[in-house]
Amino acid sequence: MPQSVKIIVILILGVAALWDGFTTVYGTAKIFGVKIVFSDAPPLTLDDQSTPERAEPTGERKFFVLFASVLFGALILGLIISSGLIFTGPNKWLKFLCGLAIAYDLLTAFIGNLDLIYYGHVVGFLGWLVLLGLTLFMSGSSVILALLSKRTRLKVLSKLAV
């Protein structure tokens, strides 16, 4: 495969890995009850000052949940990018942690894709299949990106490659 085609594929995989990272952060924040993009709660008026049940966190808690979600997303991405090296090594504890990271990434990416793509709509059978395929390919893009960048010897990504 020509070098220019490899670079284009790596760029596409890079965009997919960024989307995976965003959906991981989004899904983590949603698990903690913080909505980044959509808000289900109607705006409060001056007459209604009562706090509804399961209200979205505000202020400092929202900041810390978003900060923890971004930090956790970076940690998950680091483990997934290093998964080839981890799974070929002897440390069983790291293999277990990497497996958990991949499972968590799949869960949060699925939650993020579901909410961002099908927000407020009923998902049919084909929609669930497309959503599952999208989640699998987006989550796998980080590993594929690391492997391809090592093979093409890109200086920017070669330090991340497994």
Side-chain angles (χ1 to χ4, degrees):
M1 184 181 321
Q3 184 74 10
S4 60
V5 174
K6 288 179 184 178
I7 291 175
I8 291 171
V9 169
I10 286 175
L11 287 175
I12 292 170
L13 287 171
V15 171
L18 287 175
W19 178 257
D20 179 47
F22 176 73
T23 56
T24 299
V25 171
Y26 184 88
T28 301
K30 186 165 173 136
I31 288 170
F32 284 121
V34 173
K35 294 181 179 125
I36 297 174
V37 178
F38 303 111
S39 178
D40 293 333
L44 292 176
T45 62
L46 291 176
D47 298 332
D48 183 24
Q49 294 296 325
S50 62
T51 304
E53 288 185 34
R54 296 186 42 85
E56 181 179 347
T58 57
E60 291 175 354
R61 181 172 183 272
K62 186 173 186 175
F63 170 77
F64 285 117
V65 166
L66 291 176
F67 180 74
S69 297
V70 169
L71 187 63
F72 200 59
L75 177 65
I76 295 293
L77 181 62
L79 280 170
I80 290 175
I81 287 176
S82 303
S83 63
L85 183 64
I86 291 171
F87 282 122
T88 57
N91 195 331
K92 291 181 182 181
W93 177 246
L94 277 178
K95 290 178 185 180
F96 176 73
L97 285 178
C98 192
L100 279 179
I102 291 171
Y104 185 79
D105 181 56
L106 286 170
L107 173 70
T108 55
F110 187 81
I111 290 170
N113 286 328
L114 176 65
D115 202 44
L116 293 169
I117 295 171
Y118 287 110
Y119 183 77
H121 293 88
V122 176
V123 183
F125 178 72
L126 289 177
W128 287 111
L129 289 178
V130 168
L131 196 59
L132 181 64
L134 175 70
T135 301
L136 289 173
F137 283 117
M138 293 297 163
S139 294
S141 64
S142 301
V143 176
I144 296 169
L145 178 66
L147 292 172
L148 282 180
S149 65
K150 183 178 181 180
R151 286 190 182 157
T152 58
R153 294 182 177 88
L154 289 178
K155 292 179 183 176
V156 176
L157 298 171
S158 63
K159 300 291 184 199
L160 300 175
V162 290

